[in-house]
Amino acid sequence: MKRWLIVVLFGTLIIGFIGWNYNKIEQEFQVRLNIPCFEVEELCFSWTALRYSIDNTPENADIEENLQALIDNVLIPVRREYGKYIKVNSGYRTPKLNKRVGGVAKSQHQKGEAVDITTGSIKQNKALYDIIDKQGNYDQLIWENGGEWIYVSYKREGKNRKRKFAL
């Protein structure tokens, strides 16, 4: 009986490890082939919205177009130069979701113009921040919470101000 339990536990660990590695391998594969791998839906996904049953669907076509412009003009070019996986922490937020997460009242997240991203490490976030700054295709670039994530926004219409600062 104990051998059976050990085999099951060991098998579970191996399957979990393979699954974790599969995700990492898939991400690396997408990067090497320059597969954009950013989708509007990804920028609308929110664990907080799920937890509190908040519908985080863009309210109109303008928001979806803003999100696609953010993907096309910032995220894809940055990811191609960075050459590694970039995680989206937060993208579009409905006003209800923005209030729930403590976002500012006029947040560009609500217009589909902003995204919070991370590489998973502050050191790599600095490299990513520098790439975004060098490419210069942004409205605001913010080094947030000591570099735990990067806020970047892009305006599809109007002038992008190229403002950068740390919070």
Side-chain angles (χ1 to χ4, degrees), residues 141-154:
L141 179 59
I142 305 173
W143 182 254
E144 291 215 57
N145 206 33
E148 286 186 30
W149 69 88
I150 299 164
Y151 168 102
V152 61
S153 66
Y154 176 82

Side-chain angles (χ1 to χ4, degrees), residues 24-123:
K24 291 292 184 187
I25 290 166
E26 181 182 32
Q27 291 165 2
E28 187 65 25
F29 183 71
Q30 289 175 343
V31 168
R32 292 195 188 281
L33 291 180
N34 278 326
I35 298 171
C37 113
F38 289 106
E39 306 269 340
V40 168
E41 294 79 14
E42 179 182 6
L43 274 64
C44 297
F45 178 79
S46 166
W47 286 109
T48 303
L50 281 176
R51 188 175 324 122
Y52 293 99
S53 300
I54 298 171
D55 180 7
N56 200 46
T57 305
E59 298 166 1
N60 57 57
D62 278 346
I63 292 171
E64 289 184 29
E65 289 174 21
N66 290 343
L67 289 164
Q68 192 61 55
L70 180 61
I71 289 168
D72 294 341
N73 294 287
V74 179
L75 294 177
I76 291 174
V78 167
R79 216 294 294 283
R80 283 195 172 127
E81 186 170 336
Y82 179 63
K84 298 176 189 169
Y85 178 73
I86 299 169
K87 181 181 184 284
V88 174
N89 287 342
S90 180
Y92 171 68
R93 299 179 193 152
T94 60
K96 186 174 182 180
L97 178 59
N98 191 61
K99 185 175 182 178
R100 170 57 75 173
V101 299
V104 297
K106 294 189 178 192
S107 171
Q108 285 181 283
H109 284 283
Q110 295 177 95
K111 298 176 186 177
E113 295 178 341
V115 65
D116 297 333
I117 55 177
T118 186
T119 63
S121 86
I122 292 174
K123 181 180 178 182

